[in-house]
Amino acid sequence: MLEFIQTITSGIAVGSSYALMGLAMVLVYKTSEVVNFAQGEMALVVSFFTYMVLENYGFPFYVAFPSALVFAAFLGFFLEFAVLRRAKEPNILGMIIITIGLEMILMGFVSWKFGADPKTMPFPMSPYDSVEIGGVFMSSLEVLTFVVALSVMAILFLFLKYSKLGVAMKATQQNNMAARLMGIRTNRILMVTWGISSVVGGLAGLLISPTTMQPYMMWDPMLKGFAGAVMGGMTSLPGSVFGAYLIGIIENLFGLYVSIEFKSVVAFTIIVLVLCVRPSGLFARHYVKKV
Amino acid sequence: MKMKRILVGLAALVLVFGMAFAAGAEQGVTDTEIHIGQWGPQTGPAAPWGSVARGTDAYFKMINAQGGIHGRKLIHHMFDDGYNPAKTKAGVKELQEGIGMFAWVSGVGTAPGLSVMDYLMERKIPWVGPSAGSLHWIEPPQKYLFAVYPLYYIEAKGLCRYAVEKLGKKRIAIAYQNDDYGKNGLKGAVEALEKMGLKLVAQIPVEKSDTDMKPHVMKLKKAKADAVLLWVTPTHAIRIVGTSKAMKFAPQWMSTSTCSDFPFMYKISKGLWEGVIAATFGELPDSDNPLLQKYKKDAYGKYAAKGERWGLFYYAGILFAEPLVEGIKRCGKNLTRERLVKEMEGIKNFKGIGGKISYGPLDLAEPYACRQGQKEVFLVKCLKGGKYEKLTGWMEIK
């Protein structure tokens, strides 16, 4: 029984970083219906920027981490403004391809600038200390990630529901033309969305980096986060978080009780199944666009 | 008709002279140069092993600065294959069919090496010191392929014996990468334990794409392992040890030579690597071995790029190339591939900066004796700060 609870806890622990990535992707998707495959690599750039500030320039944590988040926001602004907005007659598929291109460029940049040797980020908390409750373990870094993921979800949820900017973001997604006619500067909204999603993704990157950093580290969390978001319906924030945790838990259970070799694949099998049964995901209402 | 006969005669003449010319000059060798090829990942997930090729490069430059070998300079052609077998094959073909290499040296990775092994062997091109301890290089033995890197398989055997006989461990488990590299380790562990009447209590496959190691650690913990062999990449090894620490699971960790670069492992694991026992195949970086010190001064000191670290994999690039250089030296002025093979086969108990190296005439029944050069490893333990403690001397494992 203890083993079962431990496995669930482990699933939740790993699900938190997926959840953050999922949230970031859902944000962009909500406003532009673009799936941003560069999300992981944007977080990668943010993490390595932080590493550089801490290791090479010797800034303290309380300077490095906030400045990393500011950097993340500007990175998001920049990519939207300089790359995506420049696309001529953009359709969604084209935009998605652009994000895949960005993904490769950013990863190439990090490999070139920092080399492919694994590194580790200094962090105020050891990633290898743990909290124990009744024989069940969770590392303190995972507890932190869990708290961050849930708080970010709550903040974003409230922000989109009640703030003016949040409502404008929603409006932009639902009908770009009408939103613009209502006086919303949709371009700017898109830029801000990219900024916010970059910050959320960057948080995930910063929380993954204290164990090991290397240019490939964000690919897996990004894909799993995306998978979780698809499961949750791609437009629902709580849905994507729930989906991410579900994937973490199923992976761990499957790894322990069925086959550890196919643990990584199981997540994607579930997605195919979910999409067959409920194409719009577990949480989102099926949204039909009127022509 | 007459014209035709003359033409045929001419063609025959050209053919005969052409062949005589081909027999006279070996591909990749001139009076002043010997062309040698090598691949090694400088980008991608295996890039940390890229220093092997850079080490070889500095070694060749050192030899050239000292006058070369019998008046010939070693021209080193290395390329980045990103640990991608398709790129390895394309790059090898390009260099072989473009410039024409006399021989190939080292080359990181089992999969990249396997992708070009048949190509090189069919063309009778010597290849010395593949930088991976795979059984594929010697089973079956190939006339033109000389392995140096001690087999992962014997490293696993050595570690298991040490764990049982010296440390009194009874419950041994392994976490292995689910490919040829990992399975070679698994095979060695199974065989060594069988001889001592024991069995692995758990054998956990790790996929290269896995980042979450909790299920793996749960299984190891459930099996109550008291010693665990890690036959995975350095990153995975650190993740497994770290996750175990967080889950309060502390067996004796043991690992392969691929994770025996302790200063590096200690740093990126934030000190967790302390206490890990590993097998290794070359002198330690701070060893007072005179030859190693000479390489450090004359090869690394003069030709290494800025920021290059004097680590195990860097000078492994020298270690893997030493037998080739010895073979070329023994050929004298008359350097051909056939002669090189013959001279290499005559190498007995050659001592460079690794264990003793011996080859023998090709014998299909004795692949290990005739084509596996280095058969010795020794065990080391990681101390505080990434320092080494030698646990055993060089030991030959049968």
Side-chain angles (χ1 to χ4, degrees), chain A residues 3 6-7 10 116-118 120-121 128 130 137 142 210 212 220 252 255-256 260-261 263-264, chain B residues 44 47-48 178 205 210-212 214-215 218-219 221-222 235 239 242 246-248 268-270 272:
Chain A
E3 181 184 278
Q6 175 68 62
T7 311
S10 304
D117 269 344
T120 173
M121 176 133 78
Y128 307 123
S130 60
F137 296 99
E142 286 163 352
T212 43
D220 192 57
N252 270 272
L256 188 66
I260 207 156
E261 275 177 277
K263 154 181 109 68
S264 284
Chain B
N178 200 3
D210 284 349
T211 47
D212 173 27
K214 286 205 197 66
M218 286 281 287
K219 286 211 158 178
K221 199 174 172 184
K222 203 172 149 190
T235 328
R239 280 178 192 269
M247 294 174 89
K248 303 264 152 55
I268 60 166
S269 68
K270 300 190 172 169
L272 278 186

mmCIF file of all heavy atoms in Angstrom, chain A residues 3 6-7 10 116-118 120-121 128 130 137 142 210 212 220 252 255-256 260-261 263-264, chain B residues 44 47-48 178 205 210-212 214-215 218-219 221-222 235 239 242 246-248 268-270 272:
data_model
loop_
_atom_site.group_PDB
_atom_site.id
_atom_site.type_symbol
_atom_site.label_atom_id
_atom_site.label_comp_id
_atom_site.label_asym_id
_atom_site.label_seq_id
_atom_site.Cartn_x
_atom_site.Cartn_y
_atom_site.Cartn_z
ATOM 1 N N GLU A 3 3.792 1.488 -1.043
ATOM 2 C CA GLU A 3 4.432 1.583 -2.351
ATOM 3 C C GLU A 3 3.506 2.270 -3.350
ATOM 4 O O GLU A 3 3.916 3.126 -4.130
ATOM 5 C CB GLU A 3 4.752 0.159 -2.796
ATOM 6 C CG GLU A 3 5.449 0.070 -4.115
ATOM 7 C CD GLU A 3 5.624 -1.394 -4.496
ATOM 8 O OE1 GLU A 3 6.584 -1.994 -4.007
ATOM 9 O OE2 GLU A 3 4.786 -1.921 -5.247
ATOM 10 N N GLN A 6 3.375 5.896 -2.547
ATOM 11 C CA GLN A 6 4.633 6.518 -2.972
ATOM 12 C C GLN A 6 4.640 6.751 -4.490
ATOM 13 O O GLN A 6 5.084 7.784 -4.974
ATOM 14 C CB GLN A 6 5.813 5.623 -2.561
ATOM 15 C CG GLN A 6 7.168 6.108 -3.054
ATOM 16 C CD GLN A 6 7.618 7.402 -2.388
ATOM 17 O OE1 GLN A 6 7.814 7.453 -1.180
ATOM 18 N NE2 GLN A 6 7.766 8.462 -3.172
ATOM 19 N N THR A 7 4.138 5.779 -5.220
ATOM 20 C CA THR A 7 4.132 5.908 -6.676
ATOM 21 C C THR A 7 3.235 7.059 -7.125
ATOM 22 O O THR A 7 3.587 7.837 -8.005
ATOM 23 C CB THR A 7 3.650 4.594 -7.315
ATOM 24 O OG1 THR A 7 4.381 3.540 -6.726
ATOM 25 C CG2 THR A 7 3.868 4.583 -8.800
ATOM 26 N N SER A 10 5.014 10.215 -6.348
ATOM 27 C CA SER A 10 6.077 10.452 -7.324
ATOM 28 C C SER A 10 5.489 10.968 -8.632
ATOM 29 O O SER A 10 6.060 11.841 -9.280
ATOM 30 C CB SER A 10 6.833 9.162 -7.610
ATOM 31 O OG SER A 10 7.336 8.627 -6.435
ATOM 32 N N ALA A 116 27.688 21.127 -24.759
ATOM 33 C CA ALA A 116 26.712 20.099 -24.432
ATOM 34 C C ALA A 116 27.054 19.348 -23.148
ATOM 35 O O ALA A 116 26.347 18.454 -22.748
ATOM 36 C CB ALA A 116 26.606 19.117 -25.590
ATOM 37 N N ASP A 117 28.142 19.724 -22.477
ATOM 38 C CA ASP A 117 28.452 19.084 -21.201
ATOM 39 C C ASP A 117 27.313 19.300 -20.229
ATOM 40 O O ASP A 117 26.817 20.422 -20.115
ATOM 41 C CB ASP A 117 29.700 19.728 -20.593
ATOM 42 C CG ASP A 117 30.956 19.020 -21.025
ATOM 43 O OD1 ASP A 117 30.840 17.889 -21.521
ATOM 44 O OD2 ASP A 117 32.042 19.596 -20.875
ATOM 45 N N PRO A 118 26.901 18.276 -19.508
ATOM 46 C CA PRO A 118 25.873 18.519 -18.496
ATOM 47 C C PRO A 118 26.390 19.502 -17.442
ATOM 48 O O PRO A 118 27.571 19.514 -17.126
ATOM 49 C CB PRO A 118 25.656 17.133 -17.876
ATOM 50 C CG PRO A 118 26.222 16.166 -18.828
ATOM 51 C CD PRO A 118 27.296 16.879 -19.590
ATOM 52 N N THR A 120 25.076 21.929 -13.773
ATOM 53 C CA THR A 120 24.054 21.962 -12.746
ATOM 54 C C THR A 120 23.946 23.379 -12.210
ATOM 55 O O THR A 120 24.943 24.070 -12.067
ATOM 56 C CB THR A 120 24.363 20.934 -11.644
ATOM 57 O OG1 THR A 120 23.438 21.118 -10.599
ATOM 58 C CG2 THR A 120 25.763 21.087 -11.097
ATOM 59 N N MET A 121 22.715 23.807 -11.972
ATOM 60 C CA MET A 121 22.522 25.198 -11.562
ATOM 61 C C MET A 121 22.625 25.304 -10.044
ATOM 62 O O MET A 121 22.026 24.518 -9.322
ATOM 63 C CB MET A 121 21.142 25.657 -12.007
ATOM 64 C CG MET A 121 20.840 27.053 -11.545
ATOM 65 S SD MET A 121 20.169 28.025 -12.839
ATOM 66 C CE MET A 121 18.530 27.456 -12.873
ATOM 67 N N TYR A 128 18.378 17.194 -3.696
ATOM 68 C CA TYR A 128 18.423 15.813 -3.223
ATOM 69 C C TYR A 128 17.990 15.660 -1.767
ATOM 70 O O TYR A 128 18.105 14.596 -1.192
ATOM 71 C CB TYR A 128 19.826 15.240 -3.428
ATOM 72 C CG TYR A 128 20.306 15.398 -4.850
ATOM 73 C CD1 TYR A 128 21.485 16.068 -5.151
ATOM 74 C CD2 TYR A 128 19.544 14.893 -5.903
ATOM 75 C CE1 TYR A 128 21.906 16.214 -6.460
ATOM 76 C CE2 TYR A 128 19.961 15.044 -7.216
ATOM 77 C CZ TYR A 128 21.148 15.709 -7.487
ATOM 78 O OH TYR A 128 21.552 15.857 -8.788
ATOM 79 N N SER A 130 14.931 15.641 1.055
ATOM 80 C CA SER A 130 13.543 15.255 0.863
ATOM 81 C C SER A 130 12.702 15.452 2.107
ATOM 82 O O SER A 130 13.202 15.610 3.215
ATOM 83 C CB SER A 130 13.467 13.806 0.408
ATOM 84 O OG SER A 130 14.053 12.995 1.388
ATOM 85 N N PHE A 137 8.092 9.656 0.428
ATOM 86 C CA PHE A 137 9.090 10.703 0.195
ATOM 87 C C PHE A 137 8.727 11.604 -0.974
ATOM 88 O O PHE A 137 8.138 11.178 -1.953
ATOM 89 C CB PHE A 137 10.444 10.078 -0.126
ATOM 90 C CG PHE A 137 11.009 9.284 0.986
ATOM 91 C CD1 PHE A 137 10.890 7.909 1.005
ATOM 92 C CD2 PHE A 137 11.650 9.928 2.028
ATOM 93 C CE1 PHE A 137 11.418 7.176 2.040
ATOM 94 C CE2 PHE A 137 12.188 9.189 3.064
ATOM 95 C CZ PHE A 137 12.064 7.807 3.073
ATOM 96 N N GLU A 142 10.744 19.198 -5.320
ATOM 97 C CA GLU A 142 9.465 18.805 -5.925
ATOM 98 C C GLU A 142 8.285 19.427 -5.185
ATOM 99 O O GLU A 142 7.290 19.812 -5.796
ATOM 100 C CB GLU A 142 9.342 17.281 -5.936
ATOM 101 C CG GLU A 142 10.235 16.644 -6.987
ATOM 102 C CD GLU A 142 10.462 15.163 -6.756
ATOM 103 O OE1 GLU A 142 10.061 14.649 -5.694
ATOM 104 O OE2 GLU A 142 11.066 14.535 -7.638
ATOM 105 N N PRO A 210 18.171 22.652 -11.294
ATOM 106 C CA PRO A 210 19.071 22.292 -10.189
ATOM 107 C C PRO A 210 19.531 20.840 -10.225
ATOM 108 O O PRO A 210 20.559 20.514 -9.642
ATOM 109 C CB PRO A 210 18.231 22.566 -8.949
ATOM 110 C CG PRO A 210 17.241 23.563 -9.381
ATOM 111 C CD PRO A 210 16.937 23.244 -10.807
ATOM 112 N N THR A 212 20.023 18.437 -13.296
ATOM 113 C CA THR A 212 21.073 18.555 -14.318
ATOM 114 C C THR A 212 20.542 19.396 -15.464
ATOM 115 O O THR A 212 19.365 19.337 -15.799
ATOM 116 C CB THR A 212 21.514 17.197 -14.911
ATOM 117 O OG1 THR A 212 20.361 16.433 -15.158
ATOM 118 C CG2 THR A 212 22.467 16.469 -14.020
ATOM 119 N N ASP A 220 11.491 16.609 -23.167
ATOM 120 C CA ASP A 220 10.570 15.651 -22.574
ATOM 121 C C ASP A 220 9.476 16.341 -21.741
ATOM 122 O O ASP A 220 8.292 16.090 -21.964
ATOM 123 C CB ASP A 220 11.379 14.651 -21.742
ATOM 124 C CG ASP A 220 10.556 13.457 -21.321
ATOM 125 O OD1 ASP A 220 10.012 12.789 -22.222
ATOM 126 O OD2 ASP A 220 10.453 13.192 -20.117
ATOM 127 N N ASN A 252 4.154 6.621 -13.777
ATOM 128 C CA ASN A 252 4.804 5.973 -12.643
ATOM 129 C C ASN A 252 4.169 4.635 -12.302
ATOM 130 O O ASN A 252 4.865 3.658 -12.032
ATOM 131 C CB ASN A 252 4.777 6.901 -11.426
ATOM 132 C CG ASN A 252 6.010 7.784 -11.384
ATOM 133 O OD1 ASN A 252 7.021 7.411 -10.838
ATOM 134 N ND2 ASN A 252 5.933 8.938 -12.024
ATOM 135 N N GLY A 255 5.097 2.192 -14.953
ATOM 136 C CA GLY A 255 6.506 1.813 -14.827
ATOM 137 C C GLY A 255 6.721 0.790 -13.727
ATOM 138 O O GLY A 255 7.496 -0.144 -13.872
ATOM 139 N N LEU A 256 6.020 0.963 -12.622
ATOM 140 C CA LEU A 256 6.235 0.068 -11.490
ATOM 141 C C LEU A 256 5.535 -1.274 -11.676
ATOM 142 O O LEU A 256 6.098 -2.322 -11.389
ATOM 143 C CB LEU A 256 5.761 0.745 -10.201
ATOM 144 C CG LEU A 256 6.107 -0.022 -8.933
ATOM 145 C CD1 LEU A 256 7.607 -0.052 -8.735
ATOM 146 C CD2 LEU A 256 5.456 0.614 -7.720
ATOM 147 N N ILE A 260 8.609 -1.085 -17.297
ATOM 148 C CA ILE A 260 9.361 0.156 -17.176
ATOM 149 C C ILE A 260 9.897 0.579 -18.550
ATOM 150 O O ILE A 260 10.116 1.754 -18.813
ATOM 151 C CB ILE A 260 10.478 -0.017 -16.132
ATOM 152 C CG1 ILE A 260 10.821 1.329 -15.514
ATOM 153 C CG2 ILE A 260 11.706 -0.679 -16.704
ATOM 154 C CD1 ILE A 260 11.421 1.231 -14.169
ATOM 155 N N GLU A 261 10.044 -0.359 -19.432
ATOM 156 C CA GLU A 261 10.574 -0.040 -20.750
ATOM 157 C C GLU A 261 9.631 0.855 -21.544
ATOM 158 O O GLU A 261 10.056 1.688 -22.321
ATOM 159 C CB GLU A 261 10.815 -1.325 -21.539
ATOM 160 C CG GLU A 261 12.143 -1.960 -21.255
ATOM 161 C CD GLU A 261 12.316 -3.263 -21.991
ATOM 162 O OE1 GLU A 261 11.812 -4.275 -21.476
ATOM 163 O OE2 GLU A 261 12.944 -3.276 -23.057
ATOM 164 N N LYS A 263 7.328 2.875 -20.286
ATOM 165 C CA LYS A 263 6.757 3.915 -19.437
ATOM 166 C C LYS A 263 6.594 5.244 -20.173
ATOM 167 O O LYS A 263 5.561 5.906 -20.057
ATOM 168 C CB LYS A 263 7.655 4.054 -18.215
ATOM 169 C CG LYS A 263 7.652 5.368 -17.523
ATOM 170 C CD LYS A 263 8.607 5.325 -16.371
ATOM 171 C CE LYS A 263 9.856 6.149 -16.582
ATOM 172 N NZ LYS A 263 9.688 7.582 -16.618
ATOM 173 N N SER A 264 7.606 5.618 -20.946
ATOM 174 C CA SER A 264 7.540 6.919 -21.603
ATOM 175 C C SER A 264 6.519 6.949 -22.727
ATOM 176 O O SER A 264 6.042 8.006 -23.118
ATOM 177 C CB SER A 264 8.904 7.288 -22.168
ATOM 178 O OG SER A 264 9.739 7.686 -21.128
ATOM 179 N N GLY B 44 25.313 17.636 -29.620
ATOM 180 C CA GLY B 44 24.342 16.589 -29.319
ATOM 181 C C GLY B 44 24.547 15.979 -27.945
ATOM 182 O O GLY B 44 25.452 16.380 -27.213
ATOM 183 N N ALA B 47 28.002 14.808 -26.628
ATOM 184 C CA ALA B 47 29.123 15.731 -26.788
ATOM 185 C C ALA B 47 30.179 15.685 -25.675
ATOM 186 O O ALA B 47 31.343 15.938 -25.949
ATOM 187 C CB ALA B 47 28.613 17.145 -26.971
ATOM 188 N N PRO B 48 29.797 15.353 -24.420
ATOM 189 C CA PRO B 48 30.852 15.269 -23.408
ATOM 190 C C PRO B 48 31.960 14.283 -23.789
ATOM 191 O O PRO B 48 33.079 14.416 -23.330
ATOM 192 C CB PRO B 48 30.111 14.791 -22.161
ATOM 193 C CG PRO B 48 28.719 15.242 -22.354
ATOM 194 C CD PRO B 48 28.469 15.223 -23.828
ATOM 195 N N ASN B 178 19.029 0.693 -22.148
ATOM 196 C CA ASN B 178 18.426 -0.384 -22.926
ATOM 197 C C ASN B 178 18.963 -0.390 -24.362
ATOM 198 O O ASN B 178 18.238 -0.159 -25.320
ATOM 199 C CB ASN B 178 16.911 -0.216 -22.910
ATOM 200 C CG ASN B 178 16.213 -1.505 -23.266
ATOM 201 O OD1 ASN B 178 16.861 -2.524 -23.470
ATOM 202 N ND2 ASN B 178 14.903 -1.448 -23.367
ATOM 203 N N PRO B 205 15.860 -1.686 -16.952
ATOM 204 C CA PRO B 205 16.246 -0.991 -18.177
ATOM 205 C C PRO B 205 15.948 0.506 -18.095
ATOM 206 O O PRO B 205 14.934 0.912 -17.520
ATOM 207 C CB PRO B 205 15.383 -1.646 -19.251
ATOM 208 C CG PRO B 205 14.208 -2.188 -18.520
ATOM 209 C CD PRO B 205 14.630 -2.461 -17.113
ATOM 210 N N ASP B 210 14.328 8.822 -21.035
ATOM 211 C CA ASP B 210 13.722 8.952 -19.703
ATOM 212 C C ASP B 210 14.370 10.088 -18.921
ATOM 213 O O ASP B 210 15.591 10.204 -18.914
ATOM 214 C CB ASP B 210 13.930 7.664 -18.898
ATOM 215 C CG ASP B 210 13.003 6.544 -19.343
ATOM 216 O OD1 ASP B 210 12.075 6.835 -20.113
ATOM 217 O OD2 ASP B 210 13.218 5.393 -18.933
ATOM 218 N N THR B 211 13.542 10.923 -18.276
ATOM 219 C CA THR B 211 14.149 11.916 -17.398
ATOM 220 C C THR B 211 13.729 11.674 -15.949
ATOM 221 O O THR B 211 14.435 12.042 -15.030
ATOM 222 C CB THR B 211 13.732 13.348 -17.781
ATOM 223 O OG1 THR B 211 12.324 13.360 -17.976
ATOM 224 C CG2 THR B 211 14.431 13.802 -19.045
ATOM 225 N N ASP B 212 12.585 11.057 -15.754
ATOM 226 C CA ASP B 212 12.094 10.810 -14.408
ATOM 227 C C ASP B 212 12.546 9.417 -13.977
ATOM 228 O O ASP B 212 12.182 8.417 -14.584
ATOM 229 C CB ASP B 212 10.565 10.900 -14.423
ATOM 230 C CG ASP B 212 9.976 10.483 -13.104
ATOM 231 O OD1 ASP B 212 10.667 10.632 -12.082
ATOM 232 O OD2 ASP B 212 8.829 10.008 -13.090
ATOM 233 N N LYS B 214 12.135 8.006 -10.909
ATOM 234 C CA LYS B 214 11.522 7.464 -9.688
ATOM 235 C C LYS B 214 11.069 6.026 -9.821
ATOM 236 O O LYS B 214 11.335 5.216 -8.934
ATOM 237 C CB LYS B 214 10.359 8.354 -9.276
ATOM 238 C CG LYS B 214 10.865 9.625 -8.686
ATOM 239 C CD LYS B 214 9.860 10.224 -7.761
ATOM 240 C CE LYS B 214 10.237 11.655 -7.552
ATOM 241 N NZ LYS B 214 10.105 12.432 -8.812
ATOM 242 N N PRO B 215 10.393 5.675 -10.926
ATOM 243 C CA PRO B 215 9.960 4.273 -11.017
ATOM 244 C C PRO B 215 11.150 3.314 -10.982
ATOM 245 O O PRO B 215 11.062 2.236 -10.392
ATOM 246 C CB PRO B 215 9.266 4.199 -12.382
ATOM 247 C CG PRO B 215 8.967 5.595 -12.759
ATOM 248 C CD PRO B 215 9.966 6.459 -12.077
ATOM 249 N N MET B 218 12.306 3.114 -7.394
ATOM 250 C CA MET B 218 11.318 2.344 -6.612
ATOM 251 C C MET B 218 11.578 0.848 -6.770
ATOM 252 O O MET B 218 11.508 0.080 -5.822
ATOM 253 C CB MET B 218 9.905 2.629 -7.120
ATOM 254 C CG MET B 218 9.366 3.986 -6.742
ATOM 255 S SD MET B 218 8.781 4.016 -5.064
ATOM 256 C CE MET B 218 7.276 3.078 -5.253
ATOM 257 N N LYS B 219 11.859 0.453 -7.997
ATOM 258 C CA LYS B 219 12.097 -0.977 -8.249
ATOM 259 C C LYS B 219 13.366 -1.462 -7.564
ATOM 260 O O LYS B 219 13.396 -2.555 -7.011
ATOM 261 C CB LYS B 219 12.206 -1.222 -9.756
ATOM 262 C CG LYS B 219 10.868 -1.146 -10.440
ATOM 263 C CD LYS B 219 10.850 -2.074 -11.621
ATOM 264 C CE LYS B 219 9.400 -2.395 -11.951
ATOM 265 N NZ LYS B 219 9.256 -3.244 -13.099
ATOM 266 N N LYS B 221 14.690 -0.174 -4.933
ATOM 267 C CA LYS B 221 14.453 -0.145 -3.501
ATOM 268 C C LYS B 221 13.627 -1.366 -3.089
ATOM 269 O O LYS B 221 13.895 -2.002 -2.073
ATOM 270 C CB LYS B 221 13.702 1.147 -3.158
ATOM 271 C CG LYS B 221 13.791 1.531 -1.709
ATOM 272 C CD LYS B 221 13.153 2.872 -1.450
ATOM 273 C CE LYS B 221 13.085 3.114 0.054
ATOM 274 N NZ LYS B 221 12.397 4.347 0.389
ATOM 275 N N LYS B 222 12.642 -1.670 -3.896
ATOM 276 C CA LYS B 222 11.764 -2.804 -3.625
ATOM 277 C C LYS B 222 12.564 -4.111 -3.606
ATOM 278 O O LYS B 222 12.277 -5.021 -2.831
ATOM 279 C CB LYS B 222 10.713 -2.866 -4.741
ATOM 280 C CG LYS B 222 9.446 -3.588 -4.355
ATOM 281 C CD LYS B 222 8.433 -3.407 -5.467
ATOM 282 C CE LYS B 222 7.509 -4.600 -5.560
ATOM 283 N NZ LYS B 222 6.697 -4.537 -6.773
ATOM 284 N N THR B 235 24.457 11.549 -17.092
ATOM 285 C CA THR B 235 23.281 12.287 -16.612
ATOM 286 C C THR B 235 22.286 11.359 -15.937
ATOM 287 O O THR B 235 21.756 11.678 -14.866
ATOM 288 C CB THR B 235 22.571 12.981 -17.788
ATOM 289 O OG1 THR B 235 23.534 13.339 -18.748
ATOM 290 C CG2 THR B 235 21.809 14.176 -17.330
ATOM 291 N N ARG B 239 21.014 11.286 -12.023
ATOM 292 C CA ARG B 239 19.597 11.354 -11.672
ATOM 293 C C ARG B 239 19.186 10.178 -10.789
ATOM 294 O O ARG B 239 18.413 10.335 -9.839
ATOM 295 C CB ARG B 239 18.736 11.346 -12.932
ATOM 296 C CG ARG B 239 18.661 12.706 -13.594
ATOM 297 C CD ARG B 239 17.825 12.599 -14.854
ATOM 298 N NE ARG B 239 17.978 13.794 -15.644
ATOM 299 C CZ ARG B 239 17.184 14.865 -15.524
ATOM 300 N NH1 ARG B 239 16.201 14.851 -14.663
ATOM 301 N NH2 ARG B 239 17.387 15.925 -16.266
ATOM 302 N N GLY B 242 20.671 10.697 -7.329
ATOM 303 C CA GLY B 242 19.980 11.817 -6.677
ATOM 304 C C GLY B 242 18.584 11.437 -6.231
ATOM 305 O O GLY B 242 18.180 11.705 -5.091
ATOM 306 N N ALA B 246 16.978 11.241 -2.362
ATOM 307 C CA ALA B 246 15.734 11.864 -1.910
ATOM 308 C C ALA B 246 14.785 10.809 -1.351
ATOM 309 O O ALA B 246 13.966 11.105 -0.488
ATOM 310 C CB ALA B 246 15.085 12.616 -3.060
ATOM 311 N N MET B 247 14.879 9.582 -1.824
ATOM 312 C CA MET B 247 13.992 8.532 -1.335
ATOM 313 C C MET B 247 14.642 7.678 -0.255
ATOM 314 O O MET B 247 14.169 6.596 0.057
ATOM 315 C CB MET B 247 13.537 7.652 -2.501
ATOM 316 C CG MET B 247 12.664 8.422 -3.475
ATOM 317 S SD MET B 247 12.280 7.462 -4.932
ATOM 318 C CE MET B 247 10.796 6.644 -4.379
ATOM 319 N N LYS B 248 15.726 8.179 0.299
ATOM 320 C CA LYS B 248 16.437 7.511 1.399
ATOM 321 C C LYS B 248 16.806 6.068 1.049
ATOM 322 O O LYS B 248 16.600 5.143 1.826
ATOM 323 C CB LYS B 248 15.594 7.524 2.694
ATOM 324 C CG LYS B 248 15.198 8.892 3.163
ATOM 325 C CD LYS B 248 16.151 9.424 4.227
ATOM 326 C CE LYS B 248 16.242 10.925 4.267
ATOM 327 N NZ LYS B 248 15.018 11.679 4.430
ATOM 328 N N ILE B 268 28.900 17.979 -11.229
ATOM 329 C CA ILE B 268 27.514 18.117 -11.679
ATOM 330 C C ILE B 268 26.528 17.370 -10.782
ATOM 331 O O ILE B 268 25.343 17.622 -10.837
ATOM 332 C CB ILE B 268 27.295 17.732 -13.158
ATOM 333 C CG1 ILE B 268 27.670 16.296 -13.421
ATOM 334 C CG2 ILE B 268 27.993 18.672 -14.115
ATOM 335 C CD1 ILE B 268 27.134 15.830 -14.760
ATOM 336 N N SER B 269 27.030 16.475 -9.940
ATOM 337 C CA SER B 269 26.086 15.817 -9.031
ATOM 338 C C SER B 269 26.002 16.557 -7.701
ATOM 339 O O SER B 269 25.360 16.098 -6.770
ATOM 340 C CB SER B 269 26.513 14.375 -8.785
ATOM 341 O OG SER B 269 27.714 14.337 -8.039
ATOM 342 N N LYS B 270 26.640 17.705 -7.612
ATOM 343 C CA LYS B 270 26.697 18.478 -6.368
ATOM 344 C C LYS B 270 27.200 17.623 -5.214
ATOM 345 O O LYS B 270 26.632 17.635 -4.116
ATOM 346 C CB LYS B 270 25.329 19.078 -6.041
ATOM 347 C CG LYS B 270 24.840 20.017 -7.133
ATOM 348 C CD LYS B 270 23.615 20.802 -6.753
ATOM 349 C CE LYS B 270 23.333 21.832 -7.815
ATOM 350 N NZ LYS B 270 22.074 22.507 -7.740
ATOM 351 N N LEU B 272 27.172 14.329 -4.845
ATOM 352 C CA LEU B 272 26.547 13.024 -4.611
ATOM 353 C C LEU B 272 27.419 11.855 -5.050
ATOM 354 O O LEU B 272 27.214 10.731 -4.618
ATOM 355 C CB LEU B 272 25.260 12.919 -5.420
ATOM 356 C CG LEU B 272 24.020 13.544 -4.850
ATOM 357 C CD1 LEU B 272 22.852 13.188 -5.724
ATOM 358 C CD2 LEU B 272 23.791 13.019 -3.444
#
